[in-house]
Amino acid sequence: MQLTKSTKSLKAKELESKWILIDATGVTLGRLAAYVATVLRGKNKPTFTPNMDCGDHVVIINAEKIALSGQKADKTKFFWHTGWTGSIKERTFGQMRAEKPEQFVFNAVKRMMGRRTSVALANQRLKKLHVYAGPEHKHAAQNPVVVDFANMNPKNKRGE
């Protein structure tokens, strides 16, 4: 008897995605971004297909209470140039987190997604990410599954 080794590639009709809710209170930014990127790509599922969008929808609440390890809030800086002579700008992680916490978390997840996927597929996957600064969100009708990311690993939570 000979065993056949074959890999099943899923079709778009066979894909199904669920909704996941994560509370970011006191959670380290990098660990959360890596986990969310894995869920958005669908790499946590046995039916992962690299060229299809087989990930889940992720809702992150309390983005304003996310933690940064060490002194990153004060020492890590982003630089950009406006295009005018001598006009280089800088902003620290702490300033970025205070101004737009949703965009801060979104950019961290976006940068964890990987660069080898096509731009259209990456954008399609990022549309499934919903980040909110406070505890309220508008996706209660989808009945998201609450994932206690802070207690998955003791290193995920900072402070306290």
Side-chain angles (χ1 to χ4, degrees):
M1 183 169 143
Q2 184 179 4
L3 296 174
T4 57
K5 296 180 183 178
S6 63
T7 302
K8 181 164 173 35
S9 182
L10 293 180
K11 295 176 178 53
K13 291 183 269 185
E14 299 171 348
L15 298 174
E16 57 183 60
S17 62
K18 57 183 179 178
W19 287 74
I20 295 174
L21 177 69
I22 298 175
D23 187 6
T25 304
V27 174
T28 306
L29 176 66
R31 287 177 166 270
L32 177 68
Y35 176 76
V36 170
T38 302
V39 172
L40 286 175
R41 289 186 66 200
K43 291 201 74 156
N44 60 337
K45 295 182 175 183
T47 58
F48 173 67
T49 308
N51 61 335
M52 301 290 289
D53 181 19
C54 54
D56 296 328
H57 291 267
V58 178
V59 179
I60 300 174
I61 58 173
N62 293 323
E64 63 191 5
K65 298 177 183 176
I66 201 151
L68 295 170
S69 60
Q71 298 178 345
K72 287 183 188 149
D74 301 324
K75 292 193 175 182
T76 305
K77 297 179 183 177
F78 274 112
F79 295 94
W80 71 96
H81 197 276
T82 63
W84 293 90
T85 305
S87 58
I88 191 164
K89 304 284 184 176
E90 71 176 45
R91 188 168 293 147
T92 63
F93 265 7
Q95 291 170 337
M96 291 169 61
R97 182 177 53 181
E99 290 173 9
K100 295 181 183 177
E102 303 98 347
Q103 191 66 35
F104 184 64
V105 174
F106 182 84
N107 285 341
V109 173
K110 181 180 178 181
R111 291 172 181 144
M112 289 280 183
M113 290 290 282
R115 295 192 179 107
R116 291 188 179 245
T117 58
S118 68
V119 175
L121 185 58
N123 289 340
Q124 187 178 358
R125 288 173 177 166
L126 284 171
K127 285 181 183 175
K128 292 184 173 186
L129 175 63
H130 311 278
V131 184
Y132 297 98
E136 293 87 24
H137 63 90
K138 58 183 181 180
H139 303 286
Q142 284 78 20
N143 296 324
V145 177
V146 178
V147 173
D148 191 9
F149 180 73
N151 292 327
M152 281 183 175
N153 188 336
K155 294 180 182 178
N156 289 348
K157 192 149 175 119
R158 288 283 173 174
E160 297 182 40

